[in-house]
Amino acid sequence: LHALRPRHFAFPPRPLPRFSFSAARALSMRPPPLDDGAGQPAVDPLQSSVCPADDKKGGAHDVGGLNTLLGTPISTDDPAPLQWHRETHGLVVLLIGKKLITVDELRRGIESLDPAAQNSWHYYEKWAASTALILLERGVLTPGELDAALGHTAATSPAPRFAQGTNVRVLEERVQSRWRRPHLRTPGYLFGCTGIIESYEGAFSDPEFLAFSVAPARKEHLYRVRFAQGDVWPEYTGSPGDTVSAEVYESWLAESSPADAVEKPFSPFSHSEEALHAHTHVHAHDTQHEHLSRADLERRHALSDSGEVLGERVCKALIDILCTQSRITRGELRETVQKMELAGTHPAGARLVARAWVDPEFKSRLLADATAAASELGINATNATAPTVLKVVECTSTEHQLVVCTLCSCYPLSLLGLSPAWYKSRAYRARAVREPRALLSDSFGLDLPASTRIRVHDSTADLRFLVLPLRPEGAEGLSEDELVCLVSRDSMIGVAQCECSE
């Protein structure tokens, strides 16, 4: 991937600071947040005035009741996780078990990611990035180890590559493909632009390395590059001879041909604040260009190359390093992934529900102390990543239960398997606490009587909730084993009811 060039990986030994540059301008130029159904955030400071509650959010991960997501349709498609998704989840479970990371550190790492990454990365890309950051912070890994595993070097050419007068192109920076907040000294309005080497200024310590205390910082050749204003800003109305010059490090430059100055790649900072939105138009030279958002450019680039995304690359690198260090084995990882998959194939939660339907005394114990009651059936109701406590909440003829996690994706994995993509989606997390009745109706086809109370349970800390659904009509004569087959995962979340098959 273009984003995995050596200059992109100066790994910090400690948590990174919050964004400090012109947040308002950056956000105004950012495309609308994307939702891949995998836990994308949706807090936009520029829109916080729309809803009185929106400016009280605790960060990009905090989406409960967010005004901008109300009424958003939810896709209930549930695609199978990719292998690297499973391995990332399994790796985190392993590392927590070995006390090399905690679930709260994982959450903190995700919450500290760059806002662009928060808005575009897949759920498990954030997990991989956060895991790498925490392991570096703890000293389990070194920046050099991770750099090497990712196939990067910090070598600088002994002599400058470009002579005075050489046509060069500024490489496009894709901030969303970076797994940690960058420190950039190349101005964004020049990304993708072509120019001419005006002068060579010498070799200097790379500021992108210095900013993250990576010592000794490599030396970078620095050039003054001259750009025609008309090539940088297509709407520019000044003299054709007007120019702008900037200092650009060698790792940001690629040799170009004079023709590229006419057919220059799209610069996401050109034109206006609408430049990050996809559009097509004709420039003065009558050549049609398709202008894509930065996220779309990244996706297209990834698909046109190996198809490997950044999170997958980081996950593989972490596994390689940790296996080399003998901190984990590939056998341990396979076994952990298999256990997670088995939990989804044979959900233990259905056994708890079926037993409660046929045994009133067990039901009473389950509602009073679910963790202890589950142990009676040999079921461990505690999640592998944290010492969670299970709470079972009962649906009745007058009351319906619904479970959500507005801050991330807390879920009784040990009982239900991996959570569905829609459960982690921004829209579900926002709507469930504010408009549950509409959510159940328009997205899940569950229309509850107006007289039925809806109790929403927001799993925000150490409790995990399981819904005990109503026993369906017509199931009175079925055995416990037969009843297990009627209990769906969705009914134990509260977005569906159990039904007898015809």
Side-chain angles (χ1 to χ4, degrees):
L1 290 175
H2 174 77
L4 296 177
R5 292 193 305 276
R7 64 185 178 82
H8 286 138
F9 287 88
F11 301 109
R14 57 178 179 270
L16 299 173
R18 291 284 181 184
F19 248 11
S20 58
F21 66 78
S22 184
R25 181 174 184 273
L27 287 166
S28 67
M29 298 181 66
R30 197 175 67 211
L34 306 170
D35 189 352
D36 65 358
Q40 302 296 342
V43 173
D44 191 332
L46 294 183
Q47 298 178 353
S48 62
S49 60
V50 176
C51 172
D54 287 358
D55 60 357
K56 298 178 182 178
K57 297 301 178 185
H61 61 294
D62 185 1
V63 300
L66 194 68
N67 190 70
T68 53
L69 289 176
L70 297 183
T72 301
I74 295 173
S75 172
T76 55
D77 292 342
D78 192 12
L82 299 178
Q83 181 59 26
W84 78 266
H85 297 169
R86 299 186 186 98
E87 289 182 346
T88 301
H89 200 128
L91 178 62
V92 169
V93 171
L94 262 183
L95 294 174
I96 289 175
K98 293 176 180 289
K99 302 187 184 305
L100 294 175
I101 190 174
T102 69
V103 68
D104 290 305
E105 285 177 317
L106 179 74
R107 291 168 179 161
R108 189 245 306 164
I110 292 171
E111 293 161 15
S112 71
L113 291 173
D114 184 278
Q118 291 279 11
N119 282 323
S120 65
W121 280 2
H122 183 274
Y123 183 71
Y124 283 111
E125 284 191 285
K126 297 175 189 176
W127 276 43
S130 177
T131 301
L133 286 168
I134 300 307
L135 292 178
L136 287 167
E137 180 183 316
R138 280 181 167 234
V140 175
L141 312 179
T142 66
E145 284 177 312
L146 194 48
D147 238 3
L150 289 165
H152 305 135
T153 65
T156 305
S157 57
R161 290 173 53 202
F162 305 115
Q164 186 177 17
T166 302
N167 289 288
V168 292
R169 176 174 57 86
V170 179
L171 299 174
E172 294 179 32
E173 171 58 21
R174 298 180 174 92
V175 175
Q176 288 129 316
S177 67
R178 304 281 292 273
W179 67 271
R180 56 99 175 118
R181 292 183 178 181
H183 172 69
L184 307 182
R185 300 304 302 165
T186 300
Y189 70 88
L190 294 176
F191 295 164
C193 294
T194 56
I196 298 175
I197 297 293
E198 189 175 85
S199 61
Y200 171 65
E201 300 297 334
F204 297 82
S205 294
D206 186 345
E208 293 183 33
F209 277 65
L210 290 174
F212 295 107
S213 301
V214 177
R218 68 180 184 182
K219 295 289 186 178
E220 274 272 22
H221 297 301
L222 183 65
Y223 302 85
R224 287 277 294 169
V225 184
R226 185 172 67 249
F227 304 88
Q229 288 278 24
D231 288 341
V232 177
W233 313 106
E235 78 286 0
Y236 189 76
T237 59
S239 167
D242 290 354
T243 65
V244 57
S245 296
E247 304 158 52
V248 185
Y249 284 99
E250 185 173 273
S251 62
W252 282 82
L253 298 173
E255 191 161 359
S256 180
S257 66
D260 289 335
V262 177
E263 300 295 335
K264 76 181 184 67
F266 168 55
S267 170
F269 285 87
S270 64
H271 301 296
S272 68
E273 292 189 351
E274 298 177 352
L276 282 179
H277 298 281
H279 64 283
T280 303
H281 68 164
V282 180
H283 288 303
H285 46 75
D286 296 325
T287 301
Q288 196 175 50
H289 295 276
E290 181 184 15
H291 284 200
L292 300 176
S293 71
R294 188 178 293 187
D296 288 336
L297 284 170
E298 178 62 26
R299 289 190 186 90
R300 174 177 291 185
H301 185 86
L303 290 173
S304 66
D305 283 356
S306 66
E308 183 182 56
V309 298
L310 183 63
E312 181 179 8
R313 186 82 174 262
V314 174
C315 174
K316 289 179 178 178
L318 292 176
I319 293 170
D320 287 344
I321 296 170
L322 294 167
C323 286
T324 299
Q325 294 178 344
S326 298
R327 294 183 184 272
I328 67 169
T329 68
R330 296 186 187 276
E332 286 178 316
L333 182 58
R334 282 195 302 272
E335 183 179 350
T336 302
V337 172
Q338 288 170 0
K339 286 180 178 178
M340 293 191 309
E341 292 174 341
L342 185 62
T345 306
H346 306 286
R351 292 173 53 203
L352 295 178
V353 171
R355 175 63 62 88
W357 281 348
V358 301
D359 185 341
E361 292 184 358
F362 177 80
K363 174 182 171 181
S364 296
R365 295 194 298 275
L366 184 67
L367 294 174
D369 187 344
T371 303
S375 66
E376 296 177 25
L377 303 186
I379 295 173
N380 180 7
T382 299
N383 277 5
T385 55
T388 55
V389 175
L390 179 66
K391 293 287 183 180
V392 173
V393 288
E394 180 186 13
C395 289
T396 68
S397 59
T398 60
E399 192 167 282
H400 184 81
Q401 315 292 338
L402 179 64
V403 178
V404 66
C405 174
T406 58
L407 294 181
C408 52
S409 58
C410 296
Y411 180 84
L413 183 148
S414 61
L415 300 178
L416 303 183
L418 292 174
S419 57
W422 55 259
Y423 182 84
K424 299 186 283 278
S425 71
R426 296 163 42 237
Y428 178 81
R429 292 157 56 206
R431 297 184 63 193
V433 292
R434 191 168 176 186
E435 51 178 13
R437 195 175 298 273
L439 167 70
L440 292 174
S441 177
D442 64 45
S443 296
F444 297 95
L446 179 57
D447 294 304
L448 298 172
S451 59
T452 299
R453 295 188 299 271
I454 300 178
R455 305 288 193 190
V456 180
H457 304 272
D458 192 356
S459 180
T460 56
D462 296 312
L463 302 184
R464 296 294 178 268
F465 293 90
L466 182 80
V467 173
L468 175 58
L470 279 169
R471 182 170 178 166
E473 294 182 4
E476 292 78 10
L478 298 182
S479 68
E480 183 176 337
D481 288 341
E482 290 172 321
L483 289 172
V484 167
C485 298
L486 301 183
V487 184
S488 68
R489 176 201 64 195
D490 288 2
S491 71
M492 293 182 282
I493 300 173
V495 297
Q497 293 176 325
C498 297
E499 299 178 350
C500 276
S501 57
E502 296 289 339

